[in-house]
Amino acid sequence: MDNVNGKDLIPLKTSYINTSHIIIMESIYLENNLKLSFEKLQQTIRLIVSKNDEEWVCRKEKYENLIAFTDINQAHIFKGRLQLIKLDDNIGIQVNNKCISTISAEKFKQALNNLR
């Protein structure tokens, strides 16, 4: 432990960057300082809703399932705190059963396709 002026310094948190792991993300900015981000993982896509640049809720899903969701006229995906509801050409984003924003299905699909 390091010592300054006779007082012990306690290390809080150490972060390590793994240069072999690159995070690939796409984001859609929503109203009210909210953001929907898509993070590409090995087997899945992680959907993240951020509030004032802090992660609020997230959900992992397979890429194929998300693309299929965008191609259906009416659909509901996910259970729990984060839910997506598709009606025609729009996708409603719900957090804790409250609609926080709506985006076009095309914009959602474009963000997914940018991760390929």
Side-chain angles (χ1 to χ4, degrees):
M1 196 175 302
D2 291 329
N3 188 299
V4 173
N5 295 334
K7 295 182 181 179
D8 291 332
L9 297 178
I10 301 169
L12 295 175
K13 193 182 237 184
T14 305
S15 298
Y16 297 95
I17 298 172
N18 182 349
T19 56
S20 66
H21 179 72
I22 298 171
I23 298 173
I24 300 171
M25 292 184 84
E26 283 289 318
S27 294
I28 299 172
Y29 289 90
L30 311 169
E31 59 267 0
N32 300 324
N33 293 322
L34 297 172
K35 179 172 62 173
L36 175 64
S37 299
F38 302 77
E39 179 183 2
K40 184 177 181 178
L41 303 174
Q42 283 185 340
Q43 302 284 329
T44 58
I45 302 294
R46 183 170 175 246
L47 296 169
I48 306 158
V49 175
S50 302
K51 189 181 204 179
N52 297 319
D53 289 328
E54 289 191 30
E55 190 174 301
W56 188 16
V57 292
C58 70
R59 184 69 183 223
K60 293 179 187 172
E61 186 59 67
K62 290 183 180 179
Y63 175 85
E64 296 80 19
N65 293 346
L66 292 170
I67 290 294
F69 168 74
T70 63
D71 292 334
I72 297 172
N73 272 348
Q74 294 183 1
H76 186 128
I77 194 168
F78 305 149
K79 293 182 180 179
R81 292 182 355 140
L82 175 60
Q83 297 181 28
L84 301 178
I85 298 167
K86 178 147 187 304
L87 184 57
D88 299 323
D89 295 330
N90 294 309
I91 296 175
I93 303 165
Q94 286 190 351
V95 175
N96 296 327
N97 294 319
K98 181 180 176 188
C99 186
I100 61 160
S101 191
T102 302
I103 59 172
S104 73
E106 187 59 37
K107 192 179 255 189
F108 186 92
K109 193 171 188 175
Q110 182 180 13
L112 285 172
N113 286 331
N114 289 343
L115 295 175
R116 292 196 112 198

